[in-house]
Amino acid sequence: QQKAPPKKKKKKKTQIIVILLIMAPSSSSSNNASFTKIFEQIHHKDRDYRCMAVSDLTQELQKDTYKPPTASDVEEKIHEVVLIALVDIFSDCRDLAIRALPTLLKKSTKEANKKTLQILCEKIAPTEKTFGPHVDKEERSRHKESASVALKTIGVEGYSKEVSKEFCGKCVPFFDRVLGDANKATVHDDATEILQILCETKAEFVEAKDVSSLIQTTISKIEDKTYGQTSRKRCAGILASLSRAANAKELADVVEKTAARCEKALAEKDVIGCELGAFTLGMIASKDGGGKRLVAESATGGGGGAKKTKKGGANGSLASKTVVPVLSKLCTTLVEKMENNEEADEAFASIAEQSLMALETICGRFGEVTSKSAKEKQLEEILQMAVKLLTYDPNYDDDEEEEDDVPADEMETCQIRTPDHTMKDADDECEDDNDDDDDDAYDEDYYSDEIEDDDSWKVRRASARVVGVILCSASEGILQRHHEVVFKKFFKRMKSDREDAVKLECFDALTAAFAAFPKTCESGLTRALVEKARDLAIVRAQQECALEKAKKTSQSAIAAATKRKIASLKLLGKIGRANRRLAFVEASEISRSRLADAIAGAAVTTFTDSGASSEKDSSANLRLEAVAFASEVLRVPTADELDSTNGDALASAARIAFAKKDIDRLTEAVFSCANDPYYKLAAEGLRASACIVRRARPNTNDAVQDKESCSVLASGSLERAISRLSQQDEDQEVKDASVTLLGDVLTHLGDTLKPAQQKQALDLLLERMQAESTKLVATRNAAKVARHSPAQVNLSGVAGDVIREFASFLRKNDRHLREASINGARALVERSDEKTLKDADCVSFVEDAVTELGGFVENDAHLAAMCVNAFAAICERCAKLKNSAKKASESEPLANALKFVSSSLIQRQALLTLERYFEAAVVARKETFEVIYNELSSISTVSPNDMETDDQAMVRMQQQDIASVRLEMKNRAACIASATLAAGDKIIKSTIATLIEEISDKDGKRQVISLWTLGEIGKRTKLDDSNGIDNTLWKKLEEDNTDEVKTAAAFALGSCAVGNKDAFLPKILETIKTTKKGVQEILKHGALRALREVIIGADGSSEDGVLAGESSKMEYMMSPRKKRVKREDDDVLFKSTQQAWAVVLAKARDEDLKDDAVKADVAEVLGRFVARNHSLVKEIEEALNSIVKGAKTPENATKAALLVDAVRFALVSLPKAEHFKCSLESFVGLVKDADHNCRRAALQLLSVIGRRNSSQNEDLSPLLAKVLPDVLSQLQVNDALIKEIDYGPFKQNFDYGLELRTAAYDFIDVLLTRPKSSLGFAIPEDDIESMVDTIVIGLKDPERSIRMAVHATFEKLCRDSVPNGAENVVKNADKVCELLLETMWTTANEKAVQHEKDQVDELVKSALKVVKAMESIPDVESYSKIVETKKEIVDDAPLAKLWTGMYDSPPHEI
């Protein structure tokens, strides 16, 4: 009876299962029914039924629930439907079948796919059994055509790895056999087309044996002169695509055979053979991913590594040994004929063109994978040859000496030869001679029939491309040696070549190169190049404009001129972006006037409505380029850029001085573009108009210089903005640009508008804020108007509505809109008086902001800081906005602000905002001070003694926790200090008295926070020592307190000395300098820490000052006036502290310091001194030399290490733009010292130098060869530095060499992963090789953090972070992969806690990242050890699971 209920439940389950089983076939039967209908319809006589069958089948296949039928005959019939439709007489049915075929292959079984592919292949190359006798010739042709189109279509599609392998495994060997069968020559064209598509898209899926076989077949076809030229070119394409899948040996064999074939063809004067060989080499170079195999050193793919054939970068590469010499030889043949004045056959020109195209590809690959010397040598030779061919023009005697010294502004326009070679008749030429004074640049026989089909321009165009590529990658040395000849020829071609294609290529090449070479050249060379290119581009643009306005210029000539103007403007834009100051800011007035003339001429339309649409499109593109360039040259620095210390930002926005007439011309042209119906042109014109408006008065605090012209400009700009916004169905880009222009007019020139215009503009801005499509851009501009517009702009009519819109936007889930709203509300509050902004309107914003502040504090620190800052602005105006200020300082916003102080997301700027708010809240409501003080001071710290453990990882975590608590205490103290100082003198005195009581209470929990708070107050105000502050703080330093109390006491003492120099600083200095025996060392240490705080306080970079309530924007730094006064005070304070310099230096040099904390503080104090006064580094160097020359004792070694650490602290404290003028060789040289502490200090200094990206690195580069062997020797675990420490109950080994090894690996990582541009110097290839070979031992280091760091280094090396990085990795692949596998198989102890398990997981993941990076190495499948390692990951379930979690896809074998 007790078992009865379970039986009933079981019966119910059984019944449910039976029902499901009964229901399941119903779905299957419906599918079978639909398929049965399809099978019937495909044989129907009506073509519509047949099309319907294929369409229905495609829909079934595309369903996610579709799976291949279990019955093989059903799947066969499905494939049969598609195959029948492929050869249907009706073309629409065939098209449907072709579209269905890729989906069918993706959803079918392997056997069915193989059978279908076999049928398609045999229809292209049929056997006797393929077709029966009843199939006539026409039907066979249809079968062949349909099958060919089907295979090409499915060849382009992307499939899974398995399907792609099936496809290639079936089709590639079949068509390989077809190509090898001479009896099937009629289908060779189809076979080559299909193979070219397959190899282009799926070469990596072709099996190795098929790759080898097809390579041999295609080579034989290329060598067969009886074969068609088109088919031979296709075979060359197949060969190039297969080179990606070929191993290193096969690639080398293909390249060498092709090169040999070129040389043979050249000897036999076989033009087609030479062209084909150059074409093949160029294709191989283009298909070689990144050029890493062709241009890098030769490698053979046996086993796990690679062996170099030769040292020296590209000297051992296929490109330098084989490809470049043969291509150069093909080009040199034409060069020799030019130099010998021999008449060259046109065939040589076509050979040179193909060779130059191949060289262009190869030159583009040299940049990252070759050594500097090899790269320069190769590029220099190619450059010289290309420059010679740049003048190749057999039908025109190019007398270069004739125009060498002609200035750019006197160049004449040459006769235009349009792309379609339209020639003028004799009458037109005569009329042109009468109308224009311009002479032809060529003789009358230029237009003779002999040169009608002249193709020499193709050689010049290809040469220009090669020169452009080399200009982009050439070193300063090449440019210094060849710039005169290169640019002389280059500019001449740009000026007077007969063919537009060559001119445009020259412009494009120089435009691309200009971003690169000004950064690598000396200033004199840069100036010459910039000025020459600028003048040439301006004159060419002016000349093309003049040509366009000529009376009888043909439309095709105008179109050609338009292209050249666009090219000129692009070149000018690139020149300006590369070096704005040299090109435009420092240009002569004449050059600037010509620049404005060129821009205005290009921006004004020249085509009428009757012109062709293509001509109007060309004109629109030209105007678009011109007005975009106008925006660039008219741009002026914004207020933020002017305040910035970033020199690059200021240089990029430096003001270009134009004359008034030039500005007027540009304004007219820009306004015409703003009125254009083409939306892109109109938007760009509106943006350029905004630039002109901002330029009229960049600083809104300045008076208007020319009120009349500014009023006209403002009215015209406003009219255009209103006009565009009033149109229906306007483009979004135009709307945004119009609103921005509207905001700029009100902000910069609003006081020049009439009151009615101001009201109209403000009402329209409010209307745009309420529109969904423009609310964001309108809100931003409203904030800008509120903050920066002149006081004469009356906002009273819209202020209430605007701030209510700001309030409503806070509820939107759009961060950018919220940010703009808070900014605008704060700006409106800070700007407005009681008449402008009503208290009731502001209350609505405060209420919504209070509601949202809690979420901001939790999730978005930036918005929280902005919101708090807005509350601060409201509270500061409590007299005018009483209710708003009351609500902004009530318990809810105050509680959120207090909570924000403890947030881990808080940054320095947010802290300053909080200080401002607490200060303003106390001013608005005095009673808030008690709440602020009680809440912020209620924190206690955990002593390090309470967290003792023997786990080093846990110790590090605890140290991080202590650091975060200290930071929170300091933040709280700063906020309490701000609130205290705002509360008045009475509160200040009582608060200080309370703090002293808390500090004096030894068992009190608020000791530490009280000390921090007292320090912050003392830093900001003069203290009355009637409470015995000085004695209390010194007493705390003498007592046996915890480290947290001593640290806080030292901070308080030093900070009080910053604000009260005369009262506190003398005793600090006296304590440090004293030699009395009665003074405790603990007191001296405390005084030393206090001195550190004094030096930090004297450094203006660390003092941000108090936010000014009268500021019109969110200020995080002091005003320039306050900053200057403060700086002078800082200098006085710093000079006072320098009395202690000699004492501290003597302490480091002479005393035997035992305490690590004391040594660290001494080093930091010395470093802070040196960072402020760079000349002091010389004294440290002298002290170090005296120690090094002394006795070799552990004590002296400790002193030397301390002095090196001081220099490291100084470098860390320096701004990146600064560096020491002297060399640091003596400090770095300690890496050779016998003491491990000295070596550790030197290595850490090296790492800091390498990461600073400053001129200090130039001093490091010559030292690298000296110190690198010693650095590498520190990577090995030193057993002598592992000591056993007896803790009483247990013993533990401690590795004193861990810090040393960590510093060594860190420095190696700097060298191997930072590019030359960041590091400051290039590393020799031999050094790279030795470093990679050595850091392999780090993969088995017992320390987990070191292994993870080495994993990260190898990951970057696999992606070629340095030249030949990946090649050096595969050379060590056997060791690397073996050690990676050991790491990946690491497991945590069963008794391990969760954080230990997480650490093991992170270690394994870092190893997996290395394997993932290895997959990107070219030819990776030829390195067996890497392939085996990936297979181990695939086969290991835990590793595969980790991989899937990291990359969202399961691992696959290589």
PDB file of all heavy atoms in Angstrom, residues 1 31 56 94 342 373 426 433 522 625 643 854 929 964 1016 1084 1168 1198 1328 1429-1430:
ATOM      1  N   GLN A   1       0.823  -1.207   0.000  1.00  0.00           N
ATOM      2  CA  GLN A   1       0.000   0.000   0.000  1.00  0.00           C
ATOM      3  C   GLN A   1       0.870   1.276   0.000  1.00  0.00           C
ATOM      4  O   GLN A   1       0.537   2.263  -0.623  1.00  0.00           O
ATOM      5  CB  GLN A   1      -0.911   0.001   1.228  1.00  0.00           C
ATOM      6  CG  GLN A   1      -2.005  -1.076   1.162  1.00  0.00           C
ATOM      7  CD  GLN A   1      -2.829  -1.105   2.420  1.00  0.00           C
ATOM      8  OE1 GLN A   1      -2.515  -0.374   3.368  1.00  0.00           O
ATOM      9  NE2 GLN A   1      -3.849  -1.960   2.458  1.00  0.00           N
ATOM     10  N   ASN A  31       6.643  16.917 -42.442  1.00  0.00           N
ATOM     11  CA  ASN A  31       7.825  17.211 -43.244  1.00  0.00           C
ATOM     12  C   ASN A  31       7.909  16.272 -44.443  1.00  0.00           C
ATOM     13  O   ASN A  31       8.212  16.676 -45.564  1.00  0.00           O
ATOM     14  CB  ASN A  31       9.089  17.078 -42.392  1.00  0.00           C
ATOM     15  CG  ASN A  31       9.232  18.232 -41.415  1.00  0.00           C
ATOM     16  OD1 ASN A  31       8.672  19.296 -41.641  1.00  0.00           O
ATOM     17  ND2 ASN A  31       9.955  18.014 -40.333  1.00  0.00           N
ATOM     18  N   ASP A  56      10.228  26.045 -52.284  1.00  0.00           N
ATOM     19  CA  ASP A  56       9.771  25.412 -51.045  1.00  0.00           C
ATOM     20  C   ASP A  56      10.889  24.616 -50.386  1.00  0.00           C
ATOM     21  O   ASP A  56      11.017  24.596 -49.154  1.00  0.00           O
ATOM     22  CB  ASP A  56       8.585  24.489 -51.352  1.00  0.00           C
ATOM     23  CG  ASP A  56       7.337  25.277 -51.743  1.00  0.00           C
ATOM     24  OD1 ASP A  56       7.314  26.502 -51.482  1.00  0.00           O
ATOM     25  OD2 ASP A  56       6.403  24.669 -52.311  1.00  0.00           O
ATOM     26  N   ARG A  94      16.795  27.544 -62.819  1.00  0.00           N
ATOM     27  CA  ARG A  94      18.226  27.282 -62.610  1.00  0.00           C
ATOM     28  C   ARG A  94      18.793  28.233 -61.555  1.00  0.00           C
ATOM     29  O   ARG A  94      19.592  27.836 -60.712  1.00  0.00           O
ATOM     30  CB  ARG A  94      18.982  27.430 -63.928  1.00  0.00           C
ATOM     31  CG  ARG A  94      18.624  26.388 -64.976  1.00  0.00           C
ATOM     32  CD  ARG A  94      19.693  26.288 -66.050  1.00  0.00           C
ATOM     33  NE  ARG A  94      19.894  27.535 -66.770  1.00  0.00           N
ATOM     34  CZ  ARG A  94      19.241  27.897 -67.870  1.00  0.00           C
ATOM     35  NH1 ARG A  94      18.300  27.091 -68.371  1.00  0.00           N
ATOM     36  NH2 ARG A  94      19.493  29.040 -68.475  1.00  0.00           N
ATOM     37  N   GLU A 342      68.586  54.490 -76.335  1.00  0.00           N
ATOM     38  CA  GLU A 342      68.133  53.504 -77.303  1.00  0.00           C
ATOM     39  C   GLU A 342      66.616  53.511 -77.347  1.00  0.00           C
ATOM     40  O   GLU A 342      65.948  53.752 -76.353  1.00  0.00           O
ATOM     41  CB  GLU A 342      68.629  52.103 -76.918  1.00  0.00           C
ATOM     42  CG  GLU A 342      70.136  51.980 -76.902  1.00  0.00           C
ATOM     43  CD  GLU A 342      70.564  50.588 -76.476  1.00  0.00           C
ATOM     44  OE1 GLU A 342      69.711  49.683 -76.481  1.00  0.00           O
ATOM     45  OE2 GLU A 342      71.754  50.410 -76.154  1.00  0.00           O
ATOM     46  N   SER A 373      69.359  47.867 -41.592  1.00  0.00           N
ATOM     47  CA  SER A 373      70.364  47.956 -42.646  1.00  0.00           C
ATOM     48  C   SER A 373      69.895  47.282 -43.926  1.00  0.00           C
ATOM     49  O   SER A 373      70.035  47.821 -45.028  1.00  0.00           O
ATOM     50  CB  SER A 373      71.670  47.325 -42.158  1.00  0.00           C
ATOM     51  OG  SER A 373      71.441  45.968 -41.797  1.00  0.00           O
ATOM     52  N   ALA A 426      42.086  71.434 -85.127  1.00  0.00           N
ATOM     53  CA  ALA A 426      43.016  72.533 -85.391  1.00  0.00           C
ATOM     54  C   ALA A 426      42.379  73.883 -85.141  1.00  0.00           C
ATOM     55  O   ALA A 426      43.014  74.810 -84.640  1.00  0.00           O
ATOM     56  CB  ALA A 426      43.517  72.435 -86.832  1.00  0.00           C
ATOM     57  N   ASP A 433      44.684  79.524 -78.803  1.00  0.00           N
ATOM     58  CA  ASP A 433      45.923  80.299 -78.812  1.00  0.00           C
ATOM     59  C   ASP A 433      45.618  81.787 -78.759  1.00  0.00           C
ATOM     60  O   ASP A 433      46.377  82.578 -78.188  1.00  0.00           O
ATOM     61  CB  ASP A 433      46.737  79.977 -80.063  1.00  0.00           C
ATOM     62  CG  ASP A 433      47.348  78.590 -80.005  1.00  0.00           C
ATOM     63  OD1 ASP A 433      47.482  78.072 -78.873  1.00  0.00           O
ATOM     64  OD2 ASP A 433      47.676  78.043 -81.062  1.00  0.00           O
ATOM     65  N   GLU A 522      64.857  65.795 -40.179  1.00  0.00           N
ATOM     66  CA  GLU A 522      65.262  66.952 -39.401  1.00  0.00           C
ATOM     67  C   GLU A 522      64.402  68.150 -39.791  1.00  0.00           C
ATOM     68  O   GLU A 522      63.760  68.185 -40.846  1.00  0.00           O
ATOM     69  CB  GLU A 522      66.737  67.247 -39.643  1.00  0.00           C
ATOM     70  CG  GLU A 522      67.041  67.615 -41.081  1.00  0.00           C
ATOM     71  CD  GLU A 522      68.493  68.008 -41.271  1.00  0.00           C
ATOM     72  OE1 GLU A 522      69.301  67.731 -40.377  1.00  0.00           O
ATOM     73  OE2 GLU A 522      68.793  68.593 -42.319  1.00  0.00           O
ATOM     74  N   GLU A 625      35.144  68.319 -50.731  1.00  0.00           N
ATOM     75  CA  GLU A 625      36.545  68.276 -50.304  1.00  0.00           C
ATOM     76  C   GLU A 625      37.035  69.669 -49.921  1.00  0.00           C
ATOM     77  O   GLU A 625      37.749  69.851 -48.925  1.00  0.00           O
ATOM     78  CB  GLU A 625      37.404  67.701 -51.434  1.00  0.00           C
ATOM     79  CG  GLU A 625      38.832  67.401 -51.055  1.00  0.00           C
ATOM     80  CD  GLU A 625      38.943  66.203 -50.143  1.00  0.00           C
ATOM     81  OE1 GLU A 625      38.207  65.226 -50.339  1.00  0.00           O
ATOM     82  OE2 GLU A 625      39.792  66.243 -49.221  1.00  0.00           O
ATOM     83  N   ASP A 643      43.806  75.763 -22.580  1.00  0.00           N
ATOM     84  CA  ASP A 643      44.199  75.432 -21.208  1.00  0.00           C
ATOM     85  C   ASP A 643      45.058  74.183 -21.149  1.00  0.00           C
ATOM     86  O   ASP A 643      45.699  73.909 -20.133  1.00  0.00           O
ATOM     87  CB  ASP A 643      42.955  75.210 -20.347  1.00  0.00           C
ATOM     88  CG  ASP A 643      42.183  76.500 -20.150  1.00  0.00           C
ATOM     89  OD1 ASP A 643      42.797  77.579 -20.329  1.00  0.00           O
ATOM     90  OD2 ASP A 643      40.979  76.442 -19.845  1.00  0.00           O
ATOM     91  N   GLY A 854      21.484  58.536  -6.244  1.00  0.00           N
ATOM     92  CA  GLY A 854      21.825  57.260  -5.617  1.00  0.00           C
ATOM     93  C   GLY A 854      22.297  56.234  -6.627  1.00  0.00           C
ATOM     94  O   GLY A 854      23.284  55.517  -6.403  1.00  0.00           O
ATOM     95  N   PHE A 929      27.066  70.552   9.147  1.00  0.00           N
ATOM     96  CA  PHE A 929      28.455  70.245   9.490  1.00  0.00           C
ATOM     97  C   PHE A 929      28.547  69.059  10.439  1.00  0.00           C
ATOM     98  O   PHE A 929      29.400  68.176  10.252  1.00  0.00           O
ATOM     99  CB  PHE A 929      29.133  71.473  10.114  1.00  0.00           C
ATOM    100  CG  PHE A 929      30.509  71.155  10.627  1.00  0.00           C
ATOM    101  CD1 PHE A 929      31.570  70.992   9.752  1.00  0.00           C
ATOM    102  CD2 PHE A 929      30.738  70.965  11.994  1.00  0.00           C
ATOM    103  CE1 PHE A 929      32.848  70.670  10.230  1.00  0.00           C
ATOM    104  CE2 PHE A 929      31.993  70.643  12.472  1.00  0.00           C
ATOM    105  CZ  PHE A 929      33.054  70.496  11.584  1.00  0.00           C
ATOM    106  N   SER A 964      44.015  50.744   0.180  1.00  0.00           N
ATOM    107  CA  SER A 964      42.704  51.302  -0.160  1.00  0.00           C
ATOM    108  C   SER A 964      42.064  51.983   1.048  1.00  0.00           C
ATOM    109  O   SER A 964      41.404  53.020   0.918  1.00  0.00           O
ATOM    110  CB  SER A 964      41.781  50.207  -0.704  1.00  0.00           C
ATOM    111  OG  SER A 964      41.532  49.222   0.277  1.00  0.00           O
ATOM    112  N   GLU A1016      45.073  67.642   6.953  1.00  0.00           N
ATOM    113  CA  GLU A1016      44.409  68.350   5.855  1.00  0.00           C
ATOM    114  C   GLU A1016      44.030  69.767   6.259  1.00  0.00           C
ATOM    115  O   GLU A1016      44.152  70.714   5.470  1.00  0.00           O
ATOM    116  CB  GLU A1016      43.164  67.568   5.413  1.00  0.00           C
ATOM    117  CG  GLU A1016      43.446  66.269   4.690  1.00  0.00           C
ATOM    118  CD  GLU A1016      44.030  66.491   3.308  1.00  0.00           C
ATOM    119  OE1 GLU A1016      43.932  67.629   2.786  1.00  0.00           O
ATOM    120  OE2 GLU A1016      44.603  65.546   2.733  1.00  0.00           O
ATOM    121  N   LYS A1084      63.412  60.093  14.251  1.00  0.00           N
ATOM    122  CA  LYS A1084      64.048  60.553  13.012  1.00  0.00           C
ATOM    123  C   LYS A1084      63.304  60.024  11.787  1.00  0.00           C
ATOM    124  O   LYS A1084      63.130  60.728  10.786  1.00  0.00           O
ATOM    125  CB  LYS A1084      65.506  60.095  12.971  1.00  0.00           C
ATOM    126  CG  LYS A1084      66.416  60.817  13.936  1.00  0.00           C
ATOM    127  CD  LYS A1084      67.857  60.385  13.700  1.00  0.00           C
ATOM    128  CE  LYS A1084      68.822  61.134  14.607  1.00  0.00           C
ATOM    129  NZ  LYS A1084      70.219  60.735  14.369  1.00  0.00           N
ATOM    130  N   ARG A1168      62.336  62.629  -4.522  1.00  0.00           N
ATOM    131  CA  ARG A1168      61.482  63.819  -4.618  1.00  0.00           C
ATOM    132  C   ARG A1168      62.330  65.083  -4.763  1.00  0.00           C
ATOM    133  O   ARG A1168      61.985  65.995  -5.517  1.00  0.00           O
ATOM    134  CB  ARG A1168      60.613  63.937  -3.369  1.00  0.00           C
ATOM    135  CG  ARG A1168      59.614  62.814  -3.178  1.00  0.00           C
ATOM    136  CD  ARG A1168      58.392  63.012  -4.019  1.00  0.00           C
ATOM    137  NE  ARG A1168      57.402  61.958  -3.793  1.00  0.00           N
ATOM    138  CZ  ARG A1168      56.252  61.865  -4.452  1.00  0.00           C
ATOM    139  NH1 ARG A1168      55.962  62.754  -5.390  1.00  0.00           N
ATOM    140  NH2 ARG A1168      55.401  60.899  -4.192  1.00  0.00           N
ATOM    141  N   THR A1198      74.043  47.703   0.067  1.00  0.00           N
ATOM    142  CA  THR A1198      72.709  48.205   0.432  1.00  0.00           C
ATOM    143  C   THR A1198      72.610  49.701   0.186  1.00  0.00           C
ATOM    144  O   THR A1198      71.583  50.200  -0.315  1.00  0.00           O
ATOM    145  CB  THR A1198      72.421  47.893   1.910  1.00  0.00           C
ATOM    146  OG1 THR A1198      72.493  46.476   2.116  1.00  0.00           O
ATOM    147  CG2 THR A1198      71.049  48.392   2.307  1.00  0.00           C
ATOM    148  N   ILE A1328      67.511  40.357 -29.996  1.00  0.00           N
ATOM    149  CA  ILE A1328      66.143  39.838 -29.905  1.00  0.00           C
ATOM    150  C   ILE A1328      66.159  38.324 -29.839  1.00  0.00           C
ATOM    151  O   ILE A1328      65.464  37.698 -29.024  1.00  0.00           O
ATOM    152  CB  ILE A1328      65.312  40.318 -31.105  1.00  0.00           C
ATOM    153  CG1 ILE A1328      65.106  41.838 -31.033  1.00  0.00           C
ATOM    154  CG2 ILE A1328      63.958  39.603 -31.164  1.00  0.00           C
ATOM    155  CD1 ILE A1328      64.420  42.422 -32.241  1.00  0.00           C
ATOM    156  N   THR A1429      50.300  20.406 -29.681  1.00  0.00           N
ATOM    157  CA  THR A1429      49.833  21.115 -28.481  1.00  0.00           C
ATOM    158  C   THR A1429      48.365  21.504 -28.613  1.00  0.00           C
ATOM    159  O   THR A1429      47.574  21.329 -27.676  1.00  0.00           O
ATOM    160  CB  THR A1429      50.684  22.385 -28.254  1.00  0.00           C
ATOM    161  OG1 THR A1429      52.063  22.002 -28.147  1.00  0.00           O
ATOM    162  CG2 THR A1429      50.267  23.101 -26.991  1.00  0.00           C
ATOM    163  N   LYS A1430      47.990  22.007 -29.766  1.00  0.00           N
ATOM    164  CA  LYS A1430      46.585  22.373 -29.967  1.00  0.00           C
ATOM    165  C   LYS A1430      45.696  21.127 -29.906  1.00  0.00           C
ATOM    166  O   LYS A1430      44.571  21.175 -29.372  1.00  0.00           O
ATOM    167  CB  LYS A1430      46.429  23.073 -31.320  1.00  0.00           C
ATOM    168  CG  LYS A1430      45.018  23.605 -31.578  1.00  0.00           C
ATOM    169  CD  LYS A1430      44.629  24.646 -30.534  1.00  0.00           C
ATOM    170  CE  LYS A1430      43.193  25.108 -30.679  1.00  0.00           C
ATOM    171  NZ  LYS A1430      42.937  25.794 -31.945  1.00  0.00           N
TER     172      LYS A1430
END
